[in-house]
Amino acid sequence: MDLDAYTAAHRADWDRLTELGASRRLTGTQADELIERYQAGATQLSAIKSTAGSTLEGDRLSVGLSRARLRFTGVSANVLAQIPRFFLAQLPAALYRLRWLTLAVAVVTFAVAALYAVWAFNDPQVLANLGTDAQLAQIANEDFVGYYSANPAASFTGLVWTNNAWIAAQCIAFGIVGVYVPFIILQNAMNLGTTAAVMFAYDKGDVFFLYIAPHGLLELTAIFVAAAGGLLIFWAWIAPGARTRGQALAEDGRALFTVAIGLAFVLLVSGIIEGFVTSQPWPWPVKIGIGAVALGAFLAYMIVVGGRAFRAGETGDLGEFEAGSTRIYSA
């Protein structure tokens, strides 16, 4: 090997590796570039050592590689110290990115649910297919309301929380396949619409809304957000733009993992409302007011706090991490 020629051919790459390794802050693209250059540099250092042994240029490259390696394998800062940033910047920014898609999912869901409700309510044969008159009367007069008090409040809260959190996680995790999220949206809309039709058919329409509203305002919104996240993952795969498909999926996937974590907390709140508020014999304005306040707080967090964080450059990407006293930011 002509060491001088080899060094001259790769000098610019090594200088760039050193520059990235010394940077205090990296974008997602720069972080990916750092890893790629580290891998290439490690191969080149191996070639130098195998042919020329210990050399000045090899030692310099080794130092650059060591600095680069510390950027993505160094000891992380205290995780607890990063929690405020997660809740005040990363999570709301990730939610903010989904605001319009969430609205679109909500509109589609309610439109489909309304169509199912009107169809089933006006067609006795459709209602008959859902059950006998005695079975439907049982649902409308007893089972629908009894569902919310059939179990102790704490265990019921845990049940609905884990079920809804699992659905939300599935929407995000399986969104890439394209058909899963539309299937979930259609299934939820159909169930909502047919249940409403049964309740209205037996003059229990007011009961339907009064028992759905306290927890449903926040719960359904959280599911809409999860569905929006799944659709965004699918779109990143279909139309990655200037990014490669792998890069688009990695970047958006990390951001939406942030959303999945956040929605677990949101659905815990809606589960608590469903378990401890919906079935209580309190005035309906109080119960629905609690749900409305919870929804209002979430929307303010998503739009106001999230908008501020997003405009400040936050993306919600959990690929952002600290290594020692420096940070790597993946966009």
Side-chain angles (χ1 to χ4, degrees), residues 12-77:
D13 294 332
W14 298 346
D15 289 344
R16 179 58 176 166
L17 175 67
T18 301
E19 178 186 351
L20 291 171
S23 299
R24 290 186 56 83
R25 181 166 180 159
L26 299 176
T27 65
T29 301
Q30 290 171 334
D32 292 338
E33 181 187 357
L34 174 65
I35 294 174
E36 291 174 359
R37 291 190 180 277
Y38 171 82
Q39 293 171 336
T43 301
Q44 293 156 4
L45 178 61
S46 177
I48 292 174
K49 288 190 173 183
S50 63
T51 57
S54 180
T55 63
L56 178 60
E57 292 301 332
D59 291 343
R60 288 177 177 172
L61 177 56
S62 179
V63 171
L65 289 169
S66 297
R67 289 177 176 173
R69 184 169 58 250
L70 286 174
R71 296 305 306 275
F72 51 84
T73 63
V75 178
S76 298

Side-chain angles (χ1 to χ4, degrees), residues 75-89:
V75 178
S76 298
N78 186 349
V79 174
L80 294 178
Q82 300 181 38
I83 291 179
R85 179 167 175 265
F86 174 81
F87 285 105
L88 296 177

